[in-house]
Amino acid sequence: MKALITGITGQDGSYLAEHLLSLGYEVHGLVRRIALEDPERRFTRISHLLDRIQLHAASLESYPSIFAVVSRHEFDECYHLAAQSFVAESFADGFSTMNTNINGTHYMLAALRELRPQCRFYFAGSSEMFGLVQETPQRETTPFHPRSPYGISKVAGFDLTRNYREAYGMFAASGILFNHEGPRRGFEFVTRKITSTVARIKAGQANELQLGNLEARRDWGHSKDYVRAMYLMLQQETPDDFVVASGDSHTVREFCELAFAEVGLDYRDYVRIDERFYRPAEVEALIGDSTKARTVLGWQPTYTFSEIVREMVQNDLKMILGQNQPLSEAVSEAR
Ligand code: NAP
Ligand code: GDD
């Protein structure tokens, strides 16, 4: 089996590549040309896989570049994960988020339809599509009410995917994934911002953590668990959409409390509220009902919330003490 992963350099892409390789897949990745020119910085999450995967340069903003990659290989499955995935950045630059996320998805679907319509397609939908939630917990039938340019772009990608399925009979499925984390999470997301700063505080390299809304509530799972669900969605007889969630929800404050406690500190001594990290429109509370994924796909998560927090803090401590990565630089760049 030959799979193409867009966004293979990201958190999920790297775990998915590992999962598919373990199942005997030939794994291909679509990456930006600039990434190929700067592999040390850009391939940190997949450096250990480089001799087992094939990378192809293409731009999500360019249909011809995607068409060229799809025309050269007979892919059986395509996991479309590439996106501008940071919600705060989508408020700062809604235009490029829309362009990359909506057109990128449309280009992938159109190229596959033209060249390889039998290739199965996975779209990385998001719980951000629920936004101002219309019911709790959220499930496949809950109406969408996105609250950011990112959320709007994901609703458009979801609709495009469903339309290619209905109009052209393609096997196109969407996962509606709730937040998922892990040691490879980007430093700009709140969980990694917290765990990396906890490690720096513990190592004497920082003395405070600036955050925005501590009361926001998320349903946090582990990326390793969630990429298994992506794979399972493409192994079904018919294409469909699935919510993937832990069903357990916690506030940002609770995440802080646990992360600081992991190194014997009290978060109240270090966390400062900074208005800059508030969003123009917030998604206050997410919690998913993944009954359909659990019954139809036979999927279930293996990590608990506290295990995720512990793994992330311990990983960041190890990194900072072993100086495996310039953690301080990465953190200061993060929003
Ligand atoms: P991530 O770590 O931010 O990775 C994003 C990937 O997209 C990276 O490989 C990045 O490449 C690539 N990308 C971004 N802009 C691109 C462009 N213009 N052209 C080509 N590639 C581009 O995200 P993730 O957490 O793995 O999430 C994977 C997907 O799932 C995303 O679509 C995200 O929106 C969605 N999702 C994530 C979550 C979550 O909680 N993690 C939940 C629901 C849905 P570079 O390395 O070159 O930047
Ligand atoms: N990033 C960040 N930084 N978030 C903060 C901060 C801060 O300093 N302070 C509070 N928060 C709050 C945000 O306001 C939000 O309510 C919550 O922490 C989580 O923010 P993020 O970790 O940035 O994730 P997200 O929920 O906005 O988006 C992630 O999950 C989506 C699925 O629901 C991303 O991975 C998206 O790509 C994904 O679709």
Side-chain angles (χ1 to χ4, degrees), residues 143-173:
F144 296 142
H145 187 133
R147 296 266 281 175
S148 63
Y150 169 82
I152 294 166
S153 76
K154 286 291 178 179
V155 171
F158 179 91
D159 283 340
L160 277 164
T161 303
R162 187 171 51 194
N163 199 235
Y164 269 71
R165 177 165 84 215
E166 292 174 357
Y168 309 120
M170 285 171 62
F171 191 112

Side-chain angles (χ1 to χ4, degrees), residues 85-87 126-128 150 177-179 185 188-191 193 210-214 216 218 220 252 277 279 282-283 286 335:
S85 72
F86 187 33
V87 173
S126 162
S127 49
E128 271 289 306
Y150 169 82
L177 270 53
F178 283 63
N179 296 51
R185 188 56 145 153
E188 63 273 41
F189 300 97
V190 78
T191 56
K193 181 174 172 181
Q210 296 177 353
L211 291 174
N213 182 8
L214 295 187
R218 290 291 180 275
W220 278 297
V252 173
F277 298 112
R279 293 175 182 175
E282 177 65 286
V283 172
L286 291 173
R335 255 180 272 190

